[in-house]
Amino acid sequence: MSGAADEGGVHLYSTISKRKEPLVPDAEGTVGIYVCGPTVYGRIHIGNARPFVVFSVLKRFLERRGVRVRLVSNLTDVNDKIYTAAAAEGVPSAELARRYSDAYIADTDRLGLGRPDVEPRVTESVPGIIALIEELMQRGLAYAAGGDVYYRVERFPGYGRLSGRRLEDMVSGEPATGAAKESHLDFALWKGRKPDEDTWWESPWGPGRPGWHIECSAMAEEALGRGFQVHGGGIDLIFPHHENEIAQSEGAHGGCMAQIWMHNEMLELGDEKMSKSLGNIAPLADVLDRWPAEVVIAYFLTSHYRSKLPFSDERLGEARAVVERLTNALKAIDRAMATGGEGHDADLTRAIVDGRREFFRALDDDFGTPEAFAALFEMVRGINRATTAGEASPAQLREARHELLDLLDVLGLAGIDPGPAAEVPAEVLSLLDDRERARAARDFAGADALRDRIRALGYEVTDGPGGPQATPIAPEAGSA
Ligand SMILES: [Zn+2]
């Protein structure tokens, strides 16, 4: 481990400096975080959910550290992919974008991590985008050509600083739409309208729409001002997207766009075949149909955000085991509280205090979530030992329960709390487990049959925050 965390405060690895940097809030004590969001032309897949989970939980953690956080994540609701998907479905592009924006919100809401503070949409941000392009033109960093506007890359001295690329090694990231480009390095800020494009705006350069990169520069500035704290996104966005954001924002205003550039690694898929059909086989919504939200969150967070993460049922099964271990510790406390010792278990207190300290130390050090889980497991070992020993008083156990749940809440996992032990017969609980296994194996007919058997025993299956539960079927009104 690096010594960074020992110097106190939160440190995050920055792609631009290639080291862990102290996170310094602004003068008002706020940390602004901008994360590039999805292009809404289909349901988002499990890979898109990684930045959503990482940055939502980072926000929760920082708030526990006493910082005010303003998390901003955009929706790109106009671009080529959207025109193409809309044409294929025979609907207006604005309608398709609206449908998948709604789906994105609905799918990510199911994770139960709350929403970013601001979710700007490109279609609602065009005046600010045009103003930023005009500023770049006044500074000689942009030029109009053939209905498009391009960024003059060679005029910006810092180009390549984030990605470590040298100008002479670069090939253009943009297809050569503009024969009028001065250099193959130049990228589009404004794209002139093509005949079949049905979402467009008037501009000083004629009708058209913003290029992808300028959107984020303008929306980040509008929501967070200039020189905010953290810019995040997937590692695949470093070049050209984030390199171009820096060129635009710093080219227009000087200064530095963001203090820390934070990038999450990609998901790894089993084989090439799977990778090609990722969009079809692993939409986030499907994964959440098969696994509780807490299991999906634990799947992401038991790996470090800067590590490649294999996506497989096996890995999700491992995450479920993690969640079960934590849930079982809470259940063990509940059982022990009922039988209750009368003493004080000093080792339990030590396990709780040490666990909490290590948990936050891990997160302080570049958001070390795997080490934070290790700290939780140390705590769980202490709890399991104490509940077996039976010495701890109900008051001490209640305190231990509260502490564990408090840390789980930082990670967005408080929903695994089974709550006060319900009086559900063992036979029903066992059928409930069978049904979960059937669902995980996509045996939906089998799962339905098990639900009917549970119902026959007088219990309804409901989806509680901690996963499916069996609750007694209330007598029908008037039947008494
Ligand atoms: Zn972006």
Side-chain angles (χ1 to χ4, degrees), residues 36 216 241 245:
C36 293
C216 284
H241 186 52
E245 280 190 44

Side-chain angles (χ1 to χ4, degrees), residues 34-37 74 76 212-213 215-217 231-232 237 241-242 245:
Y34 184 88
V35 183
C36 293
N74 71 294
T76 294
W212 175 34
H213 315 300
E215 303 165 5
C216 284
S217 281
H231 194 310
L237 297 181
H241 186 52
H242 290 167
E245 280 190 44

